[in-house]
Amino acid sequence: MQAITSKEFEHIGDDTAVTVVDFWADWCGPCKMQTPVLEDLDQAYGDQVKFASLDVDQNQELAQSLGIMSIPSLVIFKNGMPTEKVVGFHPKAALKKYLDEKLTEVTA
């Protein structure tokens, strides 16, 4: 999973059908629980889904512009456009099911 800043964010999702950006902070307990889940899914999906993480404390303006009010928040990009936001901790099985649905939507 690639750590990004506001600068790299401009091109997020340009090269994959589905991209997941994890908005997190170092002080956030649920964020620390979500990270290993996302890292496992990153390995499982390979090139099908791109995963990135963005520290909201270091990139406050970007987080505010996307309406990030709670963390962890996952912003789902389909074909380079932000389409959905998932807030809070989610176990691996639930996120995998959700991402499988998103992949089906972009390939249908």
Side-chain angles (χ1 to χ4, degrees):
M1 186 163 65
Q2 175 187 8
I4 61 170
T5 64
S6 296
K7 185 174 182 176
E8 291 98 3
F9 186 81
E10 293 176 24
H11 300 289
I12 204 72
D14 288 352
D15 55 352
T16 54
V18 176
T19 302
V20 177
V21 179
D22 175 29
F23 287 81
W24 65 280
D26 199 35
W27 47 263
C28 169
C31 298
K32 291 179 182 182
M33 292 170 38
Q34 192 69 75
T35 298
V37 169
L38 295 172
E39 289 171 346
D40 286 351
L41 289 172
D42 188 12
Q43 294 292 319
Y45 280 105
D47 291 338
Q48 286 184 293
V49 179
K50 182 176 181 177
F51 291 84
S53 66
L54 190 129
D55 184 338
V56 296
D57 287 338
Q58 304 298 319
N59 301 278
Q60 291 179 4
E61 287 182 22
L62 177 60
Q64 288 175 349
S65 72
L66 289 168
I68 304 299
M69 305 292 274
S70 299
I71 54 174
S73 284
L74 305 177
V75 177
I76 312 303
F77 289 77
K78 289 194 259 177
N79 299 314
M81 299 298 299
T83 57
E84 296 177 42
K85 189 184 329 174
V86 180
V87 179
F89 171 79
H90 296 280
K92 183 177 176 181
L95 269 180
K96 183 176 182 337
K97 181 179 178 187
Y98 174 77
L99 291 172
D100 287 346
E101 291 173 10
K102 299 302 128 193
L103 282 171
T104 302
E105 291 172 10
V106 295
T107 57

